[in-house]
Amino acid sequence: IAYMILQRVSPVTHSVGNCVKRVVVIVASIFFFRTPISLTNSIGTGIALAGVFLYSQVKRIKPKTT
């Protein structure tokens, strides 16, 4: 599935998608397994989410021209 997605989107978009997937897995494990997290983990997850959000905003403002 990853190769089919990579054919349809840019490598950067694919990489951001993988980052989002990791964040979702981390957040799900925190809630499901009640995993304790440190302040550093919280900050890192927040930075990852902010980066994905900013990337999507920039991508929407300036679409790829081909």
XYZ file of all heavy atoms in Angstrom:
507
model
N 0.825 -1.184 0.000
C 0.000 0.000 0.000
C 0.869 1.246 0.000
O 0.526 2.232 -0.640
C -0.950 -0.008 1.219
C -1.964 -1.139 1.063
C -1.665 1.312 1.362
C -2.853 -1.330 2.249
N 1.999 1.181 0.700
C 2.880 2.350 0.765
C 3.371 2.742 -0.628
O 3.451 3.934 -0.938
C 4.063 2.071 1.677
N 3.672 1.771 -1.477
C 4.148 2.097 -2.831
C 3.037 2.698 -3.682
O 3.280 3.600 -4.485
C 4.721 0.855 -3.518
C 6.049 0.430 -2.937
C 6.186 -0.782 -2.280
C 7.159 1.245 -3.035
C 7.389 -1.175 -1.739
C 8.377 0.880 -2.500
C 8.486 -0.335 -1.856
O 9.682 -0.701 -1.324
N 1.809 2.227 -3.511
C 0.691 2.802 -4.265
C 0.454 4.253 -3.836
O 0.200 5.120 -4.679
C -0.577 1.976 -4.056
C -0.523 0.622 -4.723
S -2.080 -0.277 -4.672
C -2.345 -0.475 -2.929
N 0.550 4.512 -2.544
C 0.379 5.880 -2.060
C 1.514 6.755 -2.562
O 1.297 7.893 -2.978
C 0.299 5.892 -0.522
C -0.976 5.202 -0.057
C 0.368 7.316 0.018
C -1.042 4.970 1.436
N 2.734 6.238 -2.538
C 3.892 7.013 -2.975
C 3.801 7.390 -4.450
O 4.309 8.431 -4.860
C 5.179 6.232 -2.701
C 6.494 6.990 -2.815
C 6.475 8.232 -1.931
C 7.652 6.106 -2.429
N 3.132 6.570 -5.268
C 2.948 6.904 -6.674
C 1.997 8.088 -6.847
O 2.084 8.817 -7.828
C 2.383 5.714 -7.444
C 3.373 4.595 -7.639
C 2.746 3.393 -8.312
O 1.529 3.309 -8.460
N 3.584 2.455 -8.731
N 1.108 8.297 -5.895
C 0.089 9.338 -6.024
C 0.441 10.648 -5.333
O -0.143 11.678 -5.629
C -1.243 8.836 -5.483
C -1.776 7.673 -6.281
C -3.060 7.165 -5.682
N -3.513 5.989 -6.392
C -4.567 5.981 -7.196
N -5.261 7.067 -7.381
N -4.904 4.873 -7.807
N 1.361 10.616 -4.377
C 1.728 11.824 -3.632
C 3.236 12.019 -3.705
O 3.985 11.119 -4.089
C 1.276 11.747 -2.156
C -0.226 11.625 -2.053
C 1.953 10.617 -1.424
N 3.671 13.204 -3.292
C 5.110 13.489 -3.294
C 5.781 12.739 -2.140
O 5.129 12.366 -1.163
C 5.341 14.990 -3.146
O 5.052 15.400 -1.828
N 7.087 12.530 -2.246
C 7.801 11.855 -1.151
C 7.691 12.599 0.182
O 7.635 11.979 1.245
C 9.251 11.817 -1.634
C 9.147 11.850 -3.118
C 7.962 12.710 -3.412
N 7.631 13.923 0.125
C 7.521 14.698 1.363
C 6.159 14.444 2.015
O 6.060 14.239 3.223
C 7.724 16.199 1.085
C 7.472 17.028 2.334
C 9.123 16.455 0.557
N 5.102 14.449 1.213
C 3.766 14.178 1.737
C 3.701 12.777 2.335
O 3.105 12.566 3.391
C 2.715 14.328 0.620
O 2.813 15.637 0.077
C 1.317 14.084 1.137
N 4.319 11.830 1.678
C 4.355 10.452 2.188
C 5.088 10.401 3.528
O 4.652 9.721 4.462
C 5.030 9.550 1.156
C 4.897 8.103 1.460
N 5.884 7.399 2.097
C 3.892 7.225 1.220
C 5.509 6.146 2.236
N 4.292 6.023 1.713
N 6.181 11.120 3.627
C 6.945 11.153 4.873
C 6.133 11.788 5.996
O 6.151 11.305 7.135
C 8.243 11.940 4.656
O 8.974 12.025 5.843
N 5.412 12.851 5.681
C 4.571 13.490 6.689
C 3.470 12.528 7.127
O 3.133 12.442 8.315
C 3.984 14.808 6.144
C 2.902 15.346 7.050
C 5.084 15.843 5.980
N 2.917 11.790 6.186
C 1.902 10.793 6.533
C 2.445 9.742 7.484
O 1.754 9.328 8.433
N 3.669 9.313 7.250
C 4.292 8.346 8.161
C 4.490 8.954 9.546
O 4.333 8.268 10.561
C 5.630 7.869 7.599
C 5.456 6.811 6.545
O 4.489 6.072 6.551
N 6.392 6.746 5.627
N 4.832 10.220 9.579
C 5.002 10.906 10.865
C 3.676 10.954 11.613
O 3.620 10.688 12.816
C 5.541 12.315 10.629
S 5.801 13.243 12.147
N 2.613 11.270 10.902
C 1.284 11.309 11.526
C 0.907 9.928 12.052
O 0.368 9.797 13.155
C 0.225 11.820 10.526
C -1.172 11.640 11.067
C 0.478 13.269 10.192
N 1.224 8.905 11.270
C 0.911 7.538 11.696
C 1.625 7.208 13.011
O 1.023 6.644 13.927
C 1.329 6.551 10.606
C 1.085 5.100 10.957
C 1.575 4.182 9.863
C 3.079 4.193 9.847
N 3.691 3.216 8.965
N 2.872 7.599 13.120
C 3.618 7.334 14.352
C 3.014 8.075 15.537
O 2.910 7.534 16.635
C 5.080 7.732 14.173
C 5.825 6.782 13.283
C 7.315 7.089 13.264
N 7.971 6.184 12.356
C 8.447 6.516 11.175
N 8.333 7.756 10.756
N 9.039 5.631 10.405
N 2.631 9.334 15.323
C 2.025 10.107 16.401
C 0.718 9.465 16.850
O 0.443 9.360 18.052
C 1.810 11.574 15.960
C 0.978 12.327 16.981
C 3.147 12.268 15.753
N -0.092 9.012 15.890
C -1.358 8.363 16.227
C -1.112 7.089 17.041
O -1.810 6.823 18.025
C -2.176 8.066 14.952
C -3.342 7.137 15.240
C -2.660 9.352 14.326
N -0.115 6.320 16.656
C 0.206 5.093 17.397
C 0.656 5.431 18.820
O 0.249 4.778 19.788
C 1.283 4.274 16.652
C 1.857 3.180 17.529
C 0.718 3.697 15.376
N 1.461 6.466 18.955
C 1.937 6.866 20.285
C 0.770 7.325 21.155
O 0.624 6.894 22.305
C 3.003 7.979 20.172
C 4.289 7.407 19.576
C 3.286 8.606 21.528
C 5.295 8.451 19.170
N -0.075 8.187 20.603
C -1.217 8.697 21.372
C -2.177 7.562 21.725
O -2.681 7.486 22.857
C -1.929 9.826 20.601
C -3.235 10.213 21.264
C -1.010 11.031 20.477
N -2.418 6.655 20.785
C -3.310 5.524 21.061
C -2.736 4.638 22.166
O -3.483 4.164 23.032
C -3.534 4.708 19.788
N -1.429 4.423 22.147
C -0.827 3.590 23.191
C -0.900 4.269 24.549
O -1.049 3.600 25.578
C 0.621 3.238 22.845
O 1.469 4.354 23.001
N -0.809 5.591 24.558
C -0.925 6.317 25.826
C -2.308 6.102 26.427
O -2.452 5.817 27.616
C -0.639 7.821 25.619
C 0.845 8.028 25.312
C -1.046 8.633 26.849
C 1.182 9.419 24.816
N -3.346 6.221 25.602
C -4.707 6.072 26.118
C -5.090 4.616 26.348
O -5.704 4.280 27.355
C -5.711 6.732 25.162
C -5.650 8.228 25.190
C -5.291 8.944 24.069
C -5.938 8.922 26.350
C -5.235 10.326 24.090
C -5.885 10.303 26.394
C -5.532 11.007 25.256
N -4.742 3.745 25.411
C -5.169 2.352 25.513
C -4.427 1.595 26.610
O -5.022 0.879 27.398
C -4.984 1.656 24.164
C -5.539 0.261 24.116
C -6.902 0.043 24.064
C -4.684 -0.831 24.136
C -7.415 -1.249 24.028
C -5.180 -2.118 24.102
C -6.547 -2.325 24.042
N -3.088 1.748 26.626
C -2.279 1.020 27.608
C -1.988 1.836 28.860
O -1.303 1.368 29.766
C -0.956 0.568 26.976
C -1.130 -0.385 25.838
C -0.755 -0.032 24.560
C -1.677 -1.644 26.040
C -0.916 -0.914 23.502
C -1.838 -2.528 24.999
C -1.455 -2.159 23.725
N -2.480 3.077 28.881
C -2.234 3.992 30.000
C -0.742 4.139 30.285
O -0.286 4.087 31.436
C -2.990 3.544 31.233
C -4.481 3.496 31.020
C -5.211 3.137 32.275
N -6.610 2.863 31.984
C -7.573 3.757 32.111
N -7.283 4.958 32.506
N -8.809 3.425 31.830
N 0.007 4.318 29.214
C 1.448 4.478 29.300
C 1.775 5.861 29.872
O 1.306 6.867 29.355
C 2.098 4.358 27.904
O 1.682 3.137 27.321
C 3.605 4.410 27.972
N 2.567 5.915 30.926
C 2.948 7.239 31.448
C 3.918 7.921 30.480
O 4.776 7.268 29.877
C 3.633 6.921 32.779
C 4.079 5.509 32.668
C 3.129 4.827 31.715
N 3.739 9.230 30.310
C 4.631 9.965 29.407
C 5.289 11.105 30.165
O 4.737 11.642 31.124
C 3.870 10.500 28.183
C 2.735 11.425 28.613
C 3.352 9.391 27.322
C 2.138 12.206 27.475
N 6.457 11.457 29.689
C 7.186 12.557 30.314
C 6.867 13.863 29.595
O 6.228 13.873 28.533
C 8.696 12.283 30.254
O 9.127 12.325 28.912
N 7.339 14.938 30.149
C 7.154 16.249 29.526
C 7.848 16.289 28.168
O 7.311 16.837 27.197
C 7.699 17.345 30.441
C 7.621 18.763 29.901
C 6.169 19.163 29.677
C 8.309 19.730 30.854
N 9.016 15.671 28.073
C 9.755 15.640 26.810
C 8.959 14.911 25.733
O 8.891 15.369 24.588
C 11.118 14.948 27.007
O 11.815 15.601 28.057
C 11.935 15.005 25.738
N 8.332 13.798 26.080
C 7.499 13.068 25.120
C 6.318 13.921 24.666
O 5.967 13.920 23.487
C 6.979 11.772 25.729
C 8.064 10.749 25.942
O 9.175 10.910 25.482
N 7.740 9.698 26.668
N 5.699 14.620 25.591
C 4.567 15.477 25.248
C 4.987 16.596 24.303
O 4.287 16.897 23.330
C 3.959 16.092 26.511
O 3.501 15.100 27.372
N 6.116 17.202 24.577
C 6.608 18.282 23.724
C 6.936 17.753 22.335
O 6.597 18.376 21.323
C 7.840 18.962 24.369
C 7.408 19.722 25.622
C 8.531 19.891 23.387
C 8.558 20.237 26.456
N 7.571 16.612 22.260
C 7.909 16.019 20.956
C 6.676 15.692 20.133
O 6.629 15.951 18.925
N 5.655 15.140 20.766
C 4.407 14.834 20.072
C 3.740 16.121 19.596
O 3.235 16.197 18.473
C 3.461 14.036 20.980
O 4.128 12.847 21.413
C 2.185 13.663 20.260
N 3.773 17.147 20.419
C 3.206 18.435 20.029
C 3.932 19.055 18.851
O 3.303 19.602 17.940
N 5.248 18.960 18.846
C 6.039 19.493 17.724
C 5.715 18.733 16.447
O 5.571 19.329 15.370
C 7.549 19.426 18.054
C 7.893 20.454 19.130
C 8.389 19.669 16.797
C 9.305 20.335 19.666
N 5.595 17.423 16.533
C 5.261 16.623 15.350
C 3.895 17.010 14.794
O 3.730 17.185 13.582
C 5.303 15.137 15.695
N 2.918 17.158 15.668
C 1.586 17.553 15.219
C 1.579 18.958 14.628
O 0.934 19.212 13.606
C 0.594 17.471 16.378
C 0.225 16.070 16.835
C -0.608 16.130 18.102
C -0.509 15.330 15.742
N 2.307 19.868 15.248
C 2.389 21.234 14.722
C 3.056 21.256 13.352
O 2.622 21.986 12.456
C 3.150 22.127 15.706
N 4.084 20.458 13.182
C 4.765 20.390 11.891
C 3.863 19.869 10.788
O 3.842 20.397 9.674
N 3.100 18.842 11.097
C 2.156 18.298 10.116
C 1.093 19.327 9.778
O 0.736 19.526 8.619
C 1.519 16.991 10.647
C 0.361 16.552 9.780
C 2.572 15.909 10.739
N 0.585 20.032 10.788
C -0.424 21.053 10.547
C 0.138 22.175 9.669
O -0.505 22.596 8.702
C -0.923 21.624 11.873
C -1.855 22.783 11.710
C -3.163 22.570 11.304
C -1.432 24.068 11.960
C -4.029 23.634 11.143
C -2.287 25.137 11.804
C -3.590 24.916 11.391
N 1.327 22.659 9.988
C 1.928 23.732 9.192
C 2.194 23.287 7.758
O 1.985 24.048 6.815
C 3.219 24.221 9.857
C 3.026 24.982 11.159
C 4.369 25.292 11.806
C 2.247 26.263 10.918
N 2.657 22.062 7.590
C 2.900 21.552 6.245
C 1.605 21.525 5.439
O 1.580 21.935 4.280
C 3.498 20.147 6.300
C 3.640 19.521 4.938
C 4.698 19.879 4.103
C 2.729 18.590 4.472
C 4.827 19.334 2.850
C 2.850 18.035 3.218
C 3.902 18.409 2.415
O 4.015 17.856 1.175
N 0.519 21.075 6.050
C -0.745 21.015 5.317
C -1.249 22.406 4.968
O -1.823 22.612 3.898
C -1.798 20.255 6.125
O -2.150 20.980 7.278
N -1.010 23.390 5.845
C -1.423 24.759 5.549
C -0.616 25.348 4.395
O -1.170 25.983 3.504
C -1.271 25.641 6.796
C -2.200 25.273 7.922
C -3.658 25.339 7.522
O -4.111 26.309 6.943
N -4.386 24.289 7.819
N 0.683 25.130 4.403
C 1.539 25.634 3.324
C 1.196 24.940 2.018
O 1.137 25.576 0.959
C 3.034 25.441 3.680
C 3.923 25.714 2.479
C 3.409 26.343 4.837
N 0.944 23.649 2.062
C 0.591 22.887 0.867
C -0.723 23.408 0.277
O -0.877 23.464 -0.937
C 0.476 21.410 1.231
C 0.321 20.498 0.081
C 1.642 20.194 -0.539
C 1.474 19.067 -1.527
N 2.665 18.825 -2.255
N -1.653 23.794 1.120
C -2.942 24.307 0.652
C -2.781 25.694 0.019
O -3.417 26.017 -0.971
C -3.929 24.381 1.803
C -5.320 24.737 1.366
C -6.296 24.718 2.493
N -6.148 23.503 3.287
C -6.602 23.358 4.504
N -7.224 24.341 5.096
N -6.456 22.222 5.149
N -1.905 26.526 0.600
C -1.704 27.888 0.097
C -0.965 27.869 -1.240
O -1.332 28.577 -2.176
C -0.906 28.732 1.120
C -1.759 28.962 2.368
C -0.479 30.053 0.522
C -0.989 29.554 3.521
N 0.072 27.043 -1.325
C 0.903 27.005 -2.531
C 0.885 25.583 -3.083
O 1.758 24.778 -2.762
C 2.328 27.436 -2.207
C 3.201 27.540 -3.423
C 4.600 28.026 -3.066
C 5.444 28.072 -4.310
N 6.809 28.424 -4.016
N -0.102 25.252 -3.929
C -0.151 23.893 -4.491
C 1.001 23.646 -5.456
O 1.561 24.573 -6.040
C -1.494 23.843 -5.190
C -1.861 25.250 -5.440
C -1.172 26.078 -4.396
N 1.329 22.382 -5.617
C 2.402 21.962 -6.520
C 2.016 22.278 -7.961
O 0.922 21.967 -8.408
C 2.633 20.460 -6.351
C 3.726 19.913 -7.205
C 3.865 18.429 -6.929
C 4.803 17.781 -7.899
N 4.880 16.351 -7.699
N 2.923 22.917 -8.685
C 2.665 23.222 -10.097
C 3.476 22.290 -10.969
O 4.668 22.124 -10.795
C 3.048 24.678 -10.422
O 4.419 24.891 -10.083
C 2.180 25.665 -9.631
N 2.792 21.636 -11.913
C 3.481 20.713 -12.833
C 3.089 20.986 -14.240
O 2.106 21.540 -14.561
C 3.147 19.249 -12.509
O 1.750 19.059 -12.551
C 3.720 18.860 -11.164
